[in-house]
Amino acid sequence: MLSTSEENYLKALYKIAQVKGNPVSTNDLADELSTSAASVTDMIKKLFEKKLVDYQRYQGAVLTSEGGRLATELVRRHRLWECFLVEKLGYGWDEVHDLAEQLEHIKSVDLVDRLEEYLQFPRFDPHGDPIPDRHGKFTIRSQQLLCNLSQGDRAEVVGVALHDSQFLRFLGEMHLEIGCVLEVLEVFEYDSSMRIHIVPDTKTLISSILSKNIYVKKYS
Amino acid sequence: MLSTSEENYLKALYKIAQVKGNPVSTNDLADELSTSAASVTDMIKKLFEKKLVDYQRYQGAVLTSEGGRLATELVRRHRLWECFLVEKLGYGWDEVHDLAEQLEHIKSVDLVDRLEEYLQFPRFDPHGDPIPDRHGKFTIRSQQLLCNLSQGDRAEVVGVALHDSQFLRFLGEMHLEIGCVLEVLEVFEYDSSMRIHIVPDTKTLISSILSKNIYVKKYS
DNA sequence: AATTATATTTAGACTAGCCTAAATATTTAT
DNA sequence: ATAAATATTTAGGCTAGTCTAAATATAATT
């Protein structure tokens, strides 16, 4: 059985590897987990003993297939709990991260499977991130950013690249949510801002900070 | 903020005080928490520092009003999570204790209030135990035991005095569940067993081990 | 009331997870 | 290629929560 702390290391390893590739450096882990490099070294050794990471001194760490499986399971739990909190308890998508962070560590062989069934097997969480199924498989969503669309393009919002609550609250205020359809009305070269039409009835200007962090699926 | 361990001590203090009264002895706590008396002494001192218990060396511990409030809140959380697990996720009443034991420690100011609303403010958990409201108030259920009924009495099952899963599974197999109505057909002095009619269609013999651990509300 | 038995506390130690400071390895830049 | 900068590990220590063994206080028994 893994401790909460061990689980958090696995998740961090998984997350960093996705962005920066393998091997994952001690310092990157320390940053991600807001801890010291020395603590990371200790824990990596422990995970190595448990065969959850491959590791050689000074060379960074890589999840083993078992480590990867466990990390994916944690992502699954996190995202399913986020669905539950938003869909059933009425939380906003900007409020659920910390709670899901706690709930994902609940130890049970089948709790999350039952939760998934109860939620009717959602494939994406409230932020548009894909939810791994029982076997760790998931659909990769479009990686195209809103900022890369051109005038006249129409697309659906499918995800966000940032998850901090300020950003999410701001998007919410602008009615920019997962699933909404938009059209690029105009692109301003000067500051890369855009005027967009959020179907059906909002037309607004958005800064590039926003458009660089919204994933869309372009209608062809 | 309290640790999971501190919270478990508060719950144990509350539980023991209800059964044996105050003050609660070090050994009783050690038994309840499956730990050593030495550990209990350490933790009680800590809770005393935090003003959650009154304590004098060798004289046992008593929850302060703040300690009692927190303990009641934990009971509330535990019972609401049990409701959720049974009613929404389809668990049996014999399967939910350990999961609720974990879920009750999730830190949040409003999670459990939202859960309560989502469950439509249940007043009793799946074992018939009363659920404290936001202010710690709850309805005390009938304390009458099935074994104290006489031939011809009719009553409703309102609770169980034991919570171990073997006992609960056995009751379930006999269709003896919270809310069911029964009538005492015959009482056998010899071994205090009873023949009962579980309305509408089961007639069966039950041992005194069962009838001593089922709370009923007699129809007058 | 003294003695024995029981309950409780103290003392000292252990583990997990974290820390800082110092040592060492690797990488980068001159 | 060597020096400087950076990254990583080691060494030693801290806290929370636990333990066992020993000491001490309370309760029970004669």
Side-chain angles (χ1 to χ4, degrees), chain A residues 7-17 24 29 32-33:
Chain A
E7 289 187 342
N8 284 334
Y9 274 84
L10 293 181
K11 264 207 324 175
L13 248 344
Y14 181 86
K15 183 174 173 185
I16 295 167
V24 173
L29 273 170
E32 173 68 24
L33 294 162

Side-chain angles (χ1 to χ4, degrees), chain B residues 45-84:
Chain B
K45 283 181 185 167
K46 200 169 146 194
L47 295 175
F48 175 70
E49 291 302 317
K50 294 191 175 188
K51 302 193 174 162
L52 300 176
V53 301
D54 288 329
Y55 169 70
Q56 279 178 279
R57 283 177 43 177
Y58 296 98
Q59 304 307 308
V62 179
L63 285 172
T64 61
S65 61
E66 175 63 2
R69 197 186 61 72
L70 290 169
T72 306
E73 171 67 16
L74 286 161
V75 168
R76 167 172 158 79
R77 290 194 210 162
H78 184 96
R79 293 180 180 169
L80 282 167
W81 278 116
E82 286 198 341
C83 285
F84 169 72

Side-chain angles (χ1 to χ4, degrees), chain A residues 148-190:
Chain A
N148 294 324
L149 296 189
S150 314
Q151 188 172 340
D153 286 344
R154 285 171 63 92
E156 184 182 331
V157 174
V158 297
V160 289
L162 296 176
H163 287 72
D164 65 290
S165 38
Q166 277 207 318
F167 174 69
L168 295 174
R169 257 199 306 279
F170 187 50
L171 286 191
E173 280 166 22
M174 309 200 63
H175 306 286
L176 264 167
E177 289 168 353
I178 305 298
C180 75
V181 175
L182 49 80
E183 184 180 348
V184 178
L185 299 176
E186 206 171 351
V187 178
F188 301 99
E189 297 261 325
Y190 175 67

Side-chain angles (χ1 to χ4, degrees), chain A residues 94-112:
Chain A
D94 57 308
E95 303 176 304
V96 292
H97 183 81
D98 293 354
L99 271 173
E101 204 74 13
Q102 294 183 65
L103 288 161
E104 74 191 11
H105 297 295
I106 300 291
K107 265 68 182 173
S108 162
V109 284
D110 68 342
L111 176 61
V112 89

Side-chain angles (χ1 to χ4, degrees), chain B:
Chain B
M1 179 102 346
L2 296 179
S3 69
T4 294
S5 186
E6 289 170 323
E7 289 187 343
N8 285 334
Y9 275 84
L10 293 181
K11 265 207 323 174
L13 248 344
Y14 181 85
K15 184 174 173 184
I16 296 166
Q18 284 212 321
V19 178
K20 296 196 162 189
N22 280 316
V24 173
S25 78
T26 303
N27 270 357
D28 283 350
L29 272 170
D31 278 2
E32 172 69 23
L33 294 164
S34 303
T35 187
S36 70
S39 302
V40 172
T41 301
D42 285 351
M43 182 60 92
I44 289 297
K45 283 181 185 167
K46 200 169 146 194
L47 295 175
F48 175 70
E49 291 302 317
K50 294 191 175 188
K51 302 193 174 162
L52 300 176
V53 301
D54 288 329
Y55 169 70
Q56 279 178 279
R57 283 177 43 177
Y58 296 98
Q59 304 307 308
V62 179
L63 285 172
T64 61
S65 61
E66 175 63 2
R69 197 186 61 72
L70 290 169
T72 306
E73 171 67 16
L74 286 161
V75 168
R76 167 172 158 79
R77 290 194 210 162
H78 184 96
R79 293 180 180 169
L80 282 167
W81 278 116
E82 286 198 341
C83 285
F84 169 72
L85 293 170
V86 169
E87 285 170 27
K88 303 298 184 182
L89 300 195
Y91 279 99
W93 68 345
D94 56 309
E95 304 176 304
V96 294
H97 183 81
D98 293 353
L99 271 173
E101 204 73 12
Q102 294 182 65
L103 287 161
E104 74 193 12
H105 298 294
I106 299 289
K107 265 68 181 173
S108 163
V109 284
D110 68 342
L111 176 62
V112 90
D113 294 341
R114 284 177 188 252
L115 187 65
E116 182 183 39
E117 186 184 354
Y118 179 57
L119 296 168
Q120 295 174 75
F121 301 93
R123 297 183 35 237
F124 301 95
D125 78 9
H127 310 102
D129 297 316
I131 299 174
D133 69 15
R134 226 190 316 283
H135 310 294
K137 302 267 179 245
F138 55 89
T139 326
I140 291 170
R141 126 202 109 187
S142 163
Q143 295 292 106
Q144 186 162 36
L145 292 170
L146 174 52
C147 64
N148 294 325
L149 296 190
S150 314
Q151 190 171 339
D153 285 345
R154 286 171 62 91
E156 183 182 332
V157 174
V158 297
V160 288
L162 296 177
H163 287 73
D164 64 290
S165 37
Q166 277 206 317
F167 174 70
L168 295 174
R169 257 199 305 279
F170 186 50
L171 286 191
E173 279 165 24
M174 309 199 65
H175 303 103
L176 263 167
E177 290 169 354
I178 304 299
C180 76
V181 175
L182 47 80
E183 184 180 348
V184 178
L185 299 175
E186 206 171 353
V187 178
F188 301 99
E189 296 261 325
Y190 176 66
D191 63 352
S192 303
S193 65
M194 306 179 138
R195 237 166 63 75
I196 59 172
H197 176 195
I198 302 167
V199 177
D201 52 12
T202 314
K203 293 189 181 177
T204 185
L205 190 76
I206 63 168
S207 71
S208 70
I209 295 184
L210 261 56
S211 65
K212 277 179 187 162
N213 288 294
I214 297 175
Y215 291 117
V216 294
K217 186 175 167 194
K218 189 171 155 187
Y219 290 143
S220 46

Side-chain angles (χ1 to χ4, degrees), chain A residues 3 5 9 35-36 38-39 42-43 46 57-59:
Chain A
S3 70
S5 186
Y9 274 84
T35 186
S36 70
S39 302
D42 285 351
M43 183 59 91
K46 200 167 144 196
R57 284 178 42 179
Y58 296 99
Q59 305 305 308

